[in-house]
């Protein structure tokens, strides 16, 4: 098999560098270039059984030897571009390239102790950040300033980086699920969606909270309560053996009953990537399993008005769902006139 | 043609959202989903001549109509995965998919006034950040802290985001061209490579400086002078009509003459992506043209010891190269005992 996706390579080998991993009949080979040779050799030990080659040291005719006598060579059809696919066939003289149908991604859905520990830590840093934000955010600050603070907080509190660019969407901007932070200033009466996460030792967290500046507008109250109820009831459905299609349908139906719509997936796997298998949506049926880590993130968006999304990163255990993010989910109302307490 | 690469879609239409752009005989169509409909409609005007569809509103049998009677449909073979390629054929019932060989990427290599203006601004913010760092960096700070400061500076000084995660590599870490910032503290005598860039209205900057803590070690001096001489001589070769292979060979030969090696490309295009066509390397010959924006970044790396890289973002004009990043290139030596001046 040819492993091309760097996240899969990292998962299998610990290597964090550009290159290609070949799993052949005889040996495991990592082909990289001069920029990474030193850092790769620092990570690998003799026990890893991986031979590292500088691509410049391999002659063209040597490539054909890697998969000699292999009747089929697997590749990652969801990662490899069409041009790369053709290049592999030509370079390695492969007769039969075989789609591996997310083989490694499937393995990655079930997390081990160590992986869960890292996600837990990323979630803790995220909770700490949220707490900091409830004191940091003030009227007149721009969405961009808040987003910059989130990134700075993560990087100065043990995280390597954000797991995705934070969303800070206030007022009418919050009606766009994937809003990009703007120079809009936060005003009284604003609904503010904050969707953020960080990486700890490579593993991601993902959390959304919707908070309010000074007061909760009446309509927002109704929507918030509905979203929160569905977020909590979904947690009860997130059990070993749960069916993603049915769980998702429950929320969709409840939203529709109240004349709203669920316009995005209810959740997704989280791990080395911020978006992993499974997708929790009514379009595909998948079975939840113990030690999966997934999000629970229903949302309602009223164009031109406001939006509400509430999201936790959740671990599936034998005894049901355990939230790994634990920030406040009741109304969080920031007061512009607040005195600094203590 | 099916345009799938979001950066190409942004370049052609201004749309910054997930989706697929279809350029058909009759019309231009952007297919997206519920999350983006509102933000896309905010960007487009009637003059853009683009019809926006929610993917949920298109029936399966309607997809076949988009490319009806088209003898060949172009696709981006360097972006589209093998799985997507197969999906396109099946979904749109395409008989003949045609590789477009970086058609749009080629257009993107030549920048217009407006694009150059945005890159210029991204470079200015980068220069300002470097100036700030020469005052900010102190003995005992970790590489990660400096990297976090770079990101924070960019986001609070007009940039949307970093154009890539900054590299801050000190001491022996600087010998790895793609080092990731660690918890290593900056010490006296350290060589520090800082490679950073930001995005301004979507356009990237890219600059590297190698600076020193307290003093320049003798061996580092020799290497620094050699790298700088080559960086400056390359600037003179960066002219309209220049041949990337020859320019690159000049540096390689000069390094080898001094018993060092150039282990990465000498430069690359910069624009909406941080790495664009052309690559400036001795492996491929391409011709430099007026209004290309490319980097000039020779480097030398001594494993276990230190590294030196000096990089500018450069505009090719009729009258030769113009550096858009203009931070100090003579020895920058930070003093741990320095009194704050003024």
């Amino acid at each position: 098999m040819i492993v091309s996706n760097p996240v899969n390579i990292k998962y299998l080998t610990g290597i964090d560098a550009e290159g290609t991993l070949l799993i052949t009949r005889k040996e495991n080979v990592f082909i990289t270039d001069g920029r990474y040779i030193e850092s790769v050799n620092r990570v690998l030990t003799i026990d890893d059984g991986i031979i590292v080659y500088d691509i410049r040291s391999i002659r063209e005719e040597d490539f054909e030897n890697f998969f000699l006598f292999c009747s089929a060579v697997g590749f990652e059809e969801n990662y490899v571009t069409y041009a790369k696919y053709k290049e592999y066939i030509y370079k390695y003289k492969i007769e039969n390239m075989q789609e591996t149908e997310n083989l490694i991604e499937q393995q990655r859905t079930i997390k081990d102790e160590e992986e869960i520990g890292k996600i837990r830590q990323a979630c803790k840093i995220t909770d700490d950040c949220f707490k900091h934000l409830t004191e940091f955010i003030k009227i007149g600050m721009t969405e961009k300033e808040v987003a910059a603070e989130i990134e700075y907080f993560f990087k100065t509190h043990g995280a390597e980086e954000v797991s995705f660019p934070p969303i800070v969407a206030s007022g009418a901007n919050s009606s766009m699920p994937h809003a990009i932070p703007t120079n809009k200033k936060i005003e009284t009466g604003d609904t503010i969606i904050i969707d953020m996460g960080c990486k700890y030792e490579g593993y991601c967290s993902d959390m959304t909270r919707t908070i309010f500046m000074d007061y909760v507008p009446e309509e927002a109250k109704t929507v918030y309560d509905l979203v929160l109820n569905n977020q909590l009831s979904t947690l009860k459905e997130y059990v070993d053996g749960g069916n993603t299609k049915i769980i998702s349908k429950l929320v969709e139906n409840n939203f529709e009953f109240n004349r709203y719509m669920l316009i995005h997936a209810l959740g997704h796997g989280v791990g080395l990537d911020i978006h992993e298998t499974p997708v929790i949506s009514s379009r595909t049926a998948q079975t939840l399993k113990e030690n999966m880590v997934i999000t629970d993130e229903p949302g309602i968006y009223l164009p031109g008005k406001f939006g509400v999304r509430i999201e936790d990163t959740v671990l599936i255990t034998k005894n049901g769902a355990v939230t790994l993010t634990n920030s406040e989910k009741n109304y969080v109302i920031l007061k512009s006139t607040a005195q600094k307490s203590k």
Side-chain angles (χ1 to χ4, degrees), chain A:
Chain A
M1 175 173 178
I2 301 176
V3 188
S4 320
N5 182 340
V7 180
N8 286 342
I9 291 173
K10 186 173 178 177
Y11 178 75
L12 295 172
T13 68
I15 294 171
D16 203 352
E18 275 177 39
T20 311
L21 178 68
L22 310 181
I23 302 172
T24 75
R25 276 167 189 274
K26 298 187 294 286
E27 58 200 12
N28 302 319
V29 174
F30 184 67
I31 301 177
T32 184
D33 66 58
R35 296 173 300 169
Y36 298 103
I37 293 282
E38 195 192 345
S39 60
V40 169
N41 281 326
R42 280 196 197 184
V43 169
L44 294 178
T45 65
I46 194 108
D47 297 336
D48 290 314
I50 297 170
I51 305 166
V52 180
Y53 285 112
D54 185 332
I55 194 160
R56 294 200 187 191
S57 71
I58 308 175
R59 288 173 310 164
E60 257 180 57
E61 54 270 35
D62 290 339
F63 281 105
E64 328 179 1
N65 291 325
F66 287 118
F67 295 111
L68 213 62
F69 309 121
C70 286
S71 63
V73 176
F75 76 108
E76 297 158 299
E77 75 277 11
N78 284 305
Y79 181 82
V80 171
T81 63
Y82 181 78
K84 261 287 173 226
Y85 161 81
K86 279 186 43 174
E87 185 193 315
Y88 286 158
I89 290 176
Y90 178 80
K91 193 164 168 181
Y92 296 101
K93 297 275 181 300
I94 296 170
E95 275 181 39
N96 183 8
M97 289 283 275
Q98 186 134 0
E99 296 166 47
T100 48
E101 292 172 353
N102 295 328
L103 181 74
I104 302 168
E105 284 81 357
Q106 286 302 329
Q107 286 179 32
R108 282 169 48 195
T109 59
I110 309 297
K111 271 73 181 176
D112 66 23
E113 280 290 308
E114 197 185 328
E115 292 180 288
I116 292 167
K118 289 174 182 171
I119 297 173
R120 203 183 283 278
Q121 183 58 22
C123 288
K124 196 196 163 296
I125 297 168
T126 309
D127 280 334
D128 291 345
C129 182
F130 182 72
K131 191 145 184 281
H132 168 67
L133 290 178
T134 58
E135 287 156 17
F136 175 81
I137 295 174
K138 299 274 178 293
I139 288 231
M141 267 179 196
T142 67
E143 295 169 352
K144 277 191 184 176
E145 281 167 353
V146 177
E149 182 69 15
I150 292 171
E151 299 211 17
Y152 189 74
F153 185 95
F154 284 152
K155 300 206 177 181
T156 50
H157 288 79
E160 297 105 66
E161 54 179 329
V162 294
S163 48
F164 59 92
I167 294 173
V168 178
S170 64
N173 289 344
S174 64
S175 74
M176 289 178 289
H178 281 236
I180 294 164
T182 70
N183 285 320
K184 177 191 166 300
K185 289 182 176 161
I186 287 164
E187 298 162 78
T188 186
D190 268 358
T191 299
I192 312 167
I193 290 186
I194 299 172
D195 189 350
M196 62 184 183
C198 64
K199 281 191 188 184
Y200 179 79
E201 296 191 5
Y203 284 81
C204 300
S205 64
D206 195 355
M207 180 176 85
T208 308
R209 288 295 182 267
T210 302
I211 62 177
F212 302 93
M213 189 42 101
D214 282 326
Y215 63 92
V216 189
E218 271 317 302
E219 196 180 4
K221 222 173 236 179
T222 319
V223 172
Y224 191 95
D225 295 349
L226 182 63
V227 171
L228 181 56
N229 280 337
N230 277 277
Q231 208 265 351
L232 294 173
S233 63
T234 297
L235 279 182
K236 290 189 190 140
E237 305 292 333
Y238 273 6
V239 294
D240 186 284
N243 176 310
T244 57
K245 188 170 192 152
I246 294 171
I247 298 171
S248 210
K249 256 297 175 209
L250 287 173
V251 176
E252 282 184 23
N253 290 347
N254 188 258
F255 277 8
E256 275 164 33
F257 179 78
N258 288 280
R259 272 171 283 157
Y260 294 108
M261 255 181 81
L262 180 67
I263 61 170
H264 56 65
L266 180 60
H268 55 82
V270 174
L272 283 167
D273 275 324
I274 182 65
H275 291 118
E276 295 193 350
T277 316
V279 179
I280 292 94
S281 132
S282 59
R283 295 196 214 177
T284 52
Q286 284 173 285
T287 305
L288 297 181
K289 295 205 185 95
E290 194 188 349
N291 291 334
M292 277 186 174
V293 175
I294 58 177
T295 66
D296 169 12
E297 50 174 314
I300 289 175
Y301 310 90
L302 308 182
K305 293 164 114 184
F306 66 89
V308 172
R309 179 167 67 256
I310 303 170
E311 172 188 33
D312 284 312
T313 299
V314 175
L315 170 68
I316 309 292
T317 75
K318 272 243 160 74
N319 307 312
V322 174
T323 55
L324 302 182
T325 47
N326 290 297
S327 295
E328 183 61 55
K329 286 195 277 199
N330 292 313
Y331 303 140
V332 172
I333 305 166
L334 309 183
K335 293 285 179 189
S336 60
T337 55
Q339 302 294 317
K340 242 190 161 170
S341 56
K342 278 187 289 184

